[in-house]
Amino acid sequence: MPTQGYEDELRSERDYVAGLYARLEAERTRAKGRYGEALRARATSAMEREFEVRALAKEVKRLDVADNGLCFGRLDSLTGERSYIGRIGLYDQGNDFDPLLLDWRAPAARPFYVATGANPENMRRRRQFHTRGHDVVDFTDEVLGRPDGSTGGDAALLAAVNAPRGEGMRDIVATIQGEQDDIIRLDHSGVLVIEGGPGTGKTVVALHRVAYLLYTQRERIERHGVLVVGPNPAFLNHIGRVLPSLGESDVLFMTAGDFVPGLHVIAEDGPEAARIKGSLKILDVLAAAVADRQRLPLDPVQISLADVTVRIDAEIAQWAREEARASKQPHNAARMVFTEILTWALTERAISRIGQGWLSRSDRDAWEQLRTDLLEELAENDRFTAVLDELWPILTPQEVLSSLLSSPERLRAAGADQALLREDGAAWTVSDMPLLDELVDLLGRDKAADEAAERAAERERKVEAEYAAGVLDTLVSREDMMDDEDHLFATDMLFGEDLAERFVERDTRELVERAAADRDWTYRHVVVDEAQELSEMDWRVLMRRCPSRSFTVVGDLAQRRSAAGATSWGAMLEPYVPGRWVYRSLTVNYRTPAEIMSVAAGVLAEFSPGVQPPESVRACGVPPWSRRLTADELPDAIAEFVRDEAGREGTSVVIGPPGVPGTVPASETKGLEFDAVLVVDPDRILADGPRGAAELYVALTRATQRLGVLHQGALPRSLSGLLELGTPAGVGGRDQP
């Protein structure tokens, strides 16, 4: 029975939190009012108005997301001061802005996460609230600084990790642990590598670190945003709610299949092709593939002009090609050099023939006038343009890579392995994305086309200004505006160009939309999850996207499945950030119960014996089980598991090798978690070698409560820790011990 003292304390906390919600609502009403005023206001410039509107919209959104779990705890110091901890900071505007609620990221809030019995951080007590909606329904106290160093403070954490899983990842802002908080607040401007086994919370720690960096370095980061790279769309959907729940929205989520704007690719290459494409050696292949398109004529080409016929032969084309390559410009930009050299040589030959006997180089004006006439002729000559396109074509990344991958001859010319050959060169895979991105730099832009577009835009601006000036003239000439000589005319307020400027189309997209569409966008911070899967070429893409080299890298080398992925962090990072990357590890498993982790540890020991599995923080009391079935019995057993789990609270998944109906591959569940997992045919998953062992390890460690295994052959030795069930009933484990 609760004591009277507890009831009084609970009532007091409810009143205080209710007051915080009242303050939040007042702040929200004020922000929405200012937002409405900004929309209606006539600011001095459209840019200023847009900036204010966007800033206020973010403030409204920040206050809205704080509504869920606004305040989750309290700290009592040794001197008797109380500090309430929550999602955002709230202040008493009538009392010198005293803090009513501390933002969880504020330095003063740190003891809430790191204080222990042995190191109480000058705190006497930590109180954690259990809320339902806006109401405090219960609280748990931890008395800090006990002589024996104990706190008895695992209740909130265990409640969180034992709770059924929902549709997406939840933030851990109320239950951040000490080792996690140290990483979240780490003061390091370079690359931070966070490695941890399954269930250690490395992903959610990385996301909370982003929220912390945005809180402490908002001015530096916010205008360019943060990029989060994950292994697959399902994973990004799973984690996509965490940062918005913490009030942060200027974050772009993508997979390696989204590196090229306008493309969304999920297909994967086989191991050998992925390994070749992921290696930096492919850079030489790409450069050779581009050079192969810079051709010389096999036979001389005749170009007929009005007064003379000129000839393009291999010798003159080779000179032009050497000069263009020596310019060190990208291919498309260097075409201008190639064209200039070629046209200079052709016009020199033409002038010598046309002016033979009457024109000498000393007659500079006549010589240059003839050259100008010939240049204009060449520019309008369809045959000359066709030869240019044949010898030095304007290329796109997609065109170069597609033609390379679908042609044995082009692969040989570029020195590439024939393992890259495929029938449809444009059937893009994830491994193609960094190659396409690299080709953007190798090819560059078409300068001539850009200059033509710029001239066309300038002409359009002048036409719009002239039209606007005409509109103003019409307004001034109206008789009803001329009656009063003191009348203020439109031209007294603005000129034609000013009016035209009002109608210029402005980019009103949100930051993440603009960043996603712009290949050259750079970010102030990048988070890479499941980073062990990224190839050397993937890292080139990401380093280009973040010139400041500010990264949070999350992964587990033991879970690597990609043939092109990382075998060590140093090998991937040292070339880009020598001496600027630090390593931190997470060792406590908050997801996987001890019963299941002991089974997964057997698989880990088989393929990576030197890696220590993370220590589970809890046991669930449900032993993992296995059952041997025939191929005919397998579909019914899977269906029974699905029916059984449908009646429970939480989530479930069936994981199996490719081709088994009703299952998903382990690669699609990376980073995800489920209450119950059924693994089908582990021996077939293992048959894929080291990659297969990593896949099985991933599959086994997705479960937070219940794990079952169905197998047709003998159970792999590494799964000997499973409980073998022999009776036909209870496949889902409901009726089993």
Side-chain angles (χ1 to χ4, degrees):
M1 287 289 292
T3 65
Q4 184 61 45
Y6 168 84
E7 293 290 351
D8 291 342
E9 278 281 295
L10 180 59
R11 190 177 304 109
S12 174
E13 299 293 25
R14 284 173 174 166
D15 290 344
Y16 190 88
V17 172
L20 292 177
Y21 274 107
R23 167 58 62 186
L24 176 67
E25 184 59 32
E27 290 287 314
R28 191 156 43 203
T29 300
R30 183 180 64 85
K32 288 180 178 178
R34 291 181 58 201
Y35 177 69
E37 291 173 2
L39 289 174
R40 296 186 295 271
R42 293 186 177 182
T44 55
S45 73
M47 185 176 296
E48 287 182 8
R49 178 175 177 272
E50 182 180 329
F51 178 80
E52 184 178 10
V53 166
R54 289 192 176 190
L56 288 169
K58 286 183 180 180
E59 176 66 7
V60 171
K61 187 181 295 185
R62 183 183 77 91
L63 294 171
D64 281 342
V65 299
D67 196 72
N68 182 25
L70 173 63
C71 177
F72 45 78
R74 189 185 97 186
L75 280 172
D76 295 357
S77 72
L78 294 175
T79 59
E81 296 175 349
R82 293 181 178 180
S83 300
Y84 287 83
I85 315 299
R87 292 183 178 275
I88 64 171
L90 292 175
Y91 302 91
D92 186 350
Q93 297 181 0
N95 189 24
D96 296 329
F97 285 87
D98 286 343
L100 300 173
L101 182 67
L102 284 176
D103 190 299
W104 67 275
R105 294 164 287 195
R110 190 164 191 259
F112 187 79
Y113 302 110
V114 300
T116 64
N119 297 287
E121 301 280 334
N122 294 318
M123 296 296 154
R124 181 174 59 86
R125 175 169 54 190
R126 171 171 45 217
R127 174 169 290 179
Q128 292 180 304
F129 297 142
H130 310 283
T131 59
R132 186 179 298 117
H134 288 191
D135 297 326
V136 178
V137 297
D138 192 10
F139 63 79
T140 303
D141 279 346
E142 301 169 55
V143 178
L144 303 170
R146 292 178 176 175
D148 61 357
S150 65
T151 65
D154 292 334
L157 173 64
L158 291 177
V161 297
N162 281 313
R165 266 48 189 173
E167 291 299 317
M169 178 178 283
R170 297 166 294 187
D171 65 67
I172 58 168
V173 65
T175 57
I176 293 172
Q177 300 302 293
E179 70 168 358
Q180 297 172 331
D181 189 78
D182 288 340
I183 294 173
I184 289 170
R185 299 174 192 265
L186 184 66
D187 183 16
H188 179 67
S189 59
V191 176
L192 167 63
V193 176
I194 307 173
E195 184 163 27
T200 53
K202 53 188 179 293
T203 296
V204 73
V205 167
L207 296 175
H208 283 68
R209 176 166 172 78
V210 170
Y212 176 75
L213 291 175
L214 282 166
Y215 177 78
T216 57
Q217 304 176 33
R218 188 169 300 279
E219 186 175 343
R220 182 183 74 85
I221 295 176
E222 191 174 44
R223 290 186 63 184
H224 285 255
V226 174
L227 173 64
V228 176
V229 179
N232 54 59
F235 173 81
L236 295 182
N237 183 60
H238 178 63
I239 70 172
R241 302 176 186 179
V242 174
L243 284 168
S245 76
L246 298 173
E248 305 299 347
S249 58
D250 289 333
V251 180
L252 177 64
F253 295 86
M254 69 167 60
T255 69
D258 303 315
F259 281 168
V260 177
L263 291 179
H264 175 67
V265 178
I266 58 175
E268 294 187 359
D269 280 303
E272 182 62 11
R275 183 190 63 78
I276 295 170
K277 291 178 182 178
S279 169
L280 292 181
K281 295 178 182 178
I282 200 69
L283 293 173
D284 293 333
V285 171
L286 296 177
V290 173
D292 184 51
R293 305 297 291 272
Q294 300 161 358
R295 314 302 292 270
L296 301 178
L298 297 177
D299 299 303
V301 180
Q302 306 293 329
I303 306 295
S304 298
L305 302 176
D307 300 318
V308 68
T309 296
V310 292
R311 186 179 70 177
I312 302 176
D313 53 31
E315 182 182 5
I316 191 174
Q318 183 171 357
W319 176 39
R321 185 173 72 174
E322 288 173 356
E323 290 295 323
R325 289 177 175 176
S327 73
K328 302 299 182 182
Q329 296 186 72
H331 170 87
N332 289 334
R335 172 179 160 122
M336 185 175 291
V337 179
F338 180 81
T339 305
E340 287 174 352
I341 298 297
L342 201 59
T343 53
W344 185 88
L346 292 177
T347 55
E348 281 290 304
R349 290 182 178 182
I351 293 170
S352 297
R353 293 176 60 186
I354 294 172
Q356 188 174 8
W358 64 271
L359 180 63
S360 67
R361 192 176 292 276
S362 61
D363 190 354
R364 180 182 297 274
D365 291 341
W367 191 285
E368 291 302 324
Q369 181 58 52
L370 186 52
R371 184 193 301 280
T372 300
D373 294 341
L374 288 168
L375 288 173
E376 290 177 356
E377 272 199 78
L378 282 172
E380 296 174 359
N381 189 288
D382 292 339
R383 178 62 175 151
F384 180 66
T385 301
V387 172
L388 275 180
D389 290 340
E390 185 178 330
L391 300 183
W392 200 287
I394 295 296
L395 298 172
T396 66
Q398 286 84 349
E399 180 185 358
V400 172
L401 190 58
S402 174
S403 62
L404 173 68
L405 298 178
S406 59
S407 168
E409 295 77 20
R410 291 194 188 279
L411 286 171
R412 277 194 295 271
D417 195 310
Q418 291 294 318
L420 298 182
L421 181 67
R422 65 188 183 213
E423 184 175 351
D424 183 359
W428 305 122
T429 65
V430 174
S431 301
D432 292 330
M433 296 303 100
L435 277 59
L436 289 172
D437 188 78
E438 189 71 32
L439 283 165
V440 172
D441 284 348
L442 286 175
L443 297 176
R445 302 180 65 87
D446 179 2
K447 284 189 175 181
D450 287 347
E451 290 172 359
E454 188 175 334
R455 288 193 297 270
E458 182 60 29
R459 287 194 298 269
E460 186 177 348
R461 282 194 293 269
K462 287 182 178 179
V463 169
E464 290 175 348
E466 290 171 1
Y467 173 78
V471 171
L472 287 176
D473 289 342
T474 301
L475 291 173
V476 171
S477 64
R478 285 177 53 188
E479 289 185 358
D480 59 328
M481 294 188 65
M482 298 295 291
D483 292 341
D484 185 355
E485 62 182 9
D486 294 327
H487 205 291
L488 186 64
F489 293 129
T491 49
D492 294 325
M493 299 294 291
L494 73 169
F495 297 101
E497 290 186 4
D498 300 322
L499 182 60
E501 184 71 15
R502 300 287 180 90
F503 296 96
V504 172
E505 185 176 349
R506 300 186 185 280
D507 191 344
T508 59
R509 295 172 298 172
E510 293 293 331
L511 181 145
V512 293
E513 296 176 284
R514 288 181 282 132
D518 186 355
R519 183 263 177 186
D520 295 322
W521 188 278
T522 58
Y523 301 88
R524 289 294 183 264
H525 191 76
V526 176
V527 176
V528 186
D529 208 331
E530 299 294 343
Q532 73 277 356
E533 306 298 345
L534 267 61
S535 69
E536 292 176 315
M537 288 297 293
D538 290 325
W539 279 109
R540 276 180 67 86
V541 175
L542 293 177
M543 291 297 171
R544 274 196 289 265
R545 299 293 194 274
C546 188
S548 65
R549 305 291 195 260
S550 177
F551 281 77
T552 299
V553 176
V554 181
D556 180 10
L557 295 177
Q559 295 187 58
R560 178 179 67 89
R561 59 180 292 274
S562 171
T567 55
S568 78
W569 300 118
M572 289 295 187
L573 299 174
E574 198 64 25
Y576 300 103
V577 284
R580 280 194 59 214
W581 66 280
V582 298
Y583 176 89
R584 295 291 185 271
S585 64
L586 292 168
T587 59
V588 179
N589 189 331
Y590 300 101
R591 175 207 299 148
T592 315
E595 297 91 338
I596 296 175
M597 198 61 218
S598 65
V599 174
V603 176
L604 179 65
E606 286 280 324
F607 76 94
S608 191
V611 177
Q612 184 70 24
E615 182 180 355
S616 296
V617 77
R618 67 191 176 97
C620 65
V622 180
W625 54 269
S626 67
R627 170 162 296 147
R628 186 169 183 172
L629 302 170
T630 66
D632 293 336
E633 294 171 326
L634 194 60
D636 288 340
I638 293 174
E640 184 178 347
F641 171 84
V642 173
R643 286 195 305 270
D644 187 43
E645 289 301 328
R648 299 175 184 262
E649 186 179 5
T651 59
S652 62
V653 69
V654 182
I655 302 174
V660 177
T663 72
V664 298
S667 60
E668 294 184 15
T669 66
K670 295 203 77 169
L672 307 183
E673 55 185 28
F674 305 88
D675 291 273
V677 172
L678 181 66
V679 178
V680 177
D681 283 339
D683 51 334
R684 288 178 56 191
I685 298 176
L686 281 170
D688 201 9
R691 169 172 163 165
E695 293 271 76
L696 181 58
Y697 182 58
V698 169
L700 295 172
T701 54
R702 299 307 94 193
T704 66
Q705 303 290 343
R706 300 175 295 281
L707 172 68
V709 174
L710 300 178
H711 57 105
Q712 298 181 59
L715 194 66
R717 183 184 62 180
S718 58
L719 297 181
S720 59
L722 285 166
L723 172 67
E724 187 80 27
L725 301 181
T727 57
V731 171
R734 181 187 293 277
D735 301 321
Q736 302 302 324

